[in-house]
Amino acid sequence: MEFYEGACELKLLQTLEGHTDRVWSLAWNPATGTAETPLVFASCSGDKTVRIWEQNPSPSSSSSSHSSWNCKAVLEDTHTRTVRSCSWSPSGKSLAVASFDATTSIWENVGGDFECVSTLEGHENEVKSVSWNASGTLLATCGRDKSVWIWEVQPGNEYECVSVLQGHSQDVKMVLWHPTLDVLFSCSYDNTVKVWADDDDDWQCVQTLGEPNNGHSSTVWALSFNKTGDKMVTCSDDLTLKIWEMDSTSMQSADGYAPWRHLFTITGYHDRTIFSVHWSSEGIIASGAADDAIRFFVEDKDGL
């Protein structure tokens, strides 16, 4: 497999101002963006707040280039330290917010106003990432305490911790559920990506993607899946992006888990730590790094 750096022209449409400290994470609301419901996303920041932004299309055009974005709500006075990560539930009704104050808050839009309906406690220190599974029945959090927590959504805005996973030896930077399966992925300062699956209500690490199997040689900061979920991209402090593929031919019949194998390494495009990566539904991989560059990659179909 080969990738090429495709020609791409981007034009600044609007600068959204409001946060008073660095913005750590953004999350699109998956239930928005239809003719009836304008696009909505959330942003979280070192200023301890989350802002909810809504797109307002121009009356004369439905094009996104003729629309503006407005801050519709500011979620504040709940966290006492940096808000590091936010994630919408698949239904778009709940927003989970992870903070360096060791808690995760759950917000809902109640009658047009956002309310904090639950606070999840348990991590010893900073919570770095939060992610919902595809059905919205499970929530995962991870943190500096080297642990990954899995929470089950209960009636009445209750959340029960069903497992605390201790497989990483260092700070866990990010958790992300597979887009269709109840399989959880976590990446860490220990240079690995770990894959977790449920076996008779007992969550286990079923695979570790590390340097011995073509994995990263330094901190793994983030990961993302392609649209179909059969490929994954990871990014690292080692200045590389790595493409992984689900090996369905080696599927373990006992639990239906298919292991992942290294497919391709993209290198030479960033000269400082790659902190963020996202694989869009259109097949574009975007990477952001400490070299102040954002780069876009698309698959070279002729190279297959």
Side-chain angles (χ1 to χ4, degrees), residues 61-199:
S61 174
S62 60
S63 171
S64 59
S65 63
H66 294 85
S67 61
S68 62
W69 290 85
N70 293 323
C71 181
K72 305 299 290 186
V74 179
L75 316 186
E76 55 188 347
D77 300 328
T78 297
H79 292 291
T80 58
R81 294 185 63 192
T82 291
V83 180
R84 179 64 177 83
S85 174
C86 55
S87 177
W88 295 94
S89 64
S91 67
K93 294 181 179 179
S94 299
L95 178 68
V97 175
S99 171
F100 281 6
D101 65 12
T103 70
T104 300
S105 59
I106 310 296
W107 297 77
E108 288 188 0
N109 189 334
V110 181
D113 295 321
F114 280 86
E115 297 181 6
C116 180
V117 296
S118 188
T119 299
L120 313 184
E121 300 178 340
H123 282 284
E124 295 178 4
N125 39 48
E126 291 102 318
V127 185
K128 298 292 184 73
S129 179
V130 60
S131 176
W132 298 86
N133 72 338
S135 62
T137 57
L138 296 172
L139 190 70
T141 57
C142 67
R144 187 181 176 187
D145 59 10
K146 310 174 188 177
S147 70
V148 175
W149 291 52
I150 296 179
W151 308 82
E152 186 174 71
V153 181
Q154 304 285 334
N157 292 317
E158 296 292 329
Y159 292 77
E160 179 186 357
C161 178
V162 294
S163 191
V164 178
L165 311 177
Q166 302 282 2
H168 286 290
S169 60
Q170 298 290 335
D171 182 348
V172 187
K173 298 297 186 184
M174 181 181 182
V175 284
L176 186 66
W177 291 94
H178 187 273
T180 59
L181 306 172
D182 280 343
V183 177
L184 180 65
F185 294 70
S186 57
C187 50
S188 168
Y189 199 81
D190 66 11
N191 308 349
T192 71
V193 175
K194 288 189 177 291
V195 189
W196 310 87
D198 184 13
D199 183 12

Side-chain angles (χ1 to χ4, degrees), residues 252-268:
Q252 301 171 10
S253 58
D255 55 15
Y257 168 71
W260 291 76
R261 62 185 177 190
H262 175 261
L263 195 61
F264 193 83
T265 296
I266 303 174
T267 186

Side-chain angles (χ1 to χ4, degrees), residues 21-22 31 104 108 115 125 156 200 224 254 261 273 282 291 296 299:
D21 202 333
R22 70 184 64 182
T104 300
E108 288 188 0
E115 297 181 6
N125 39 48
D200 293 329
S224 183
R261 62 185 177 190
T273 300
E282 292 81 15
D291 58 8
F296 299 88
E299 187 174 352

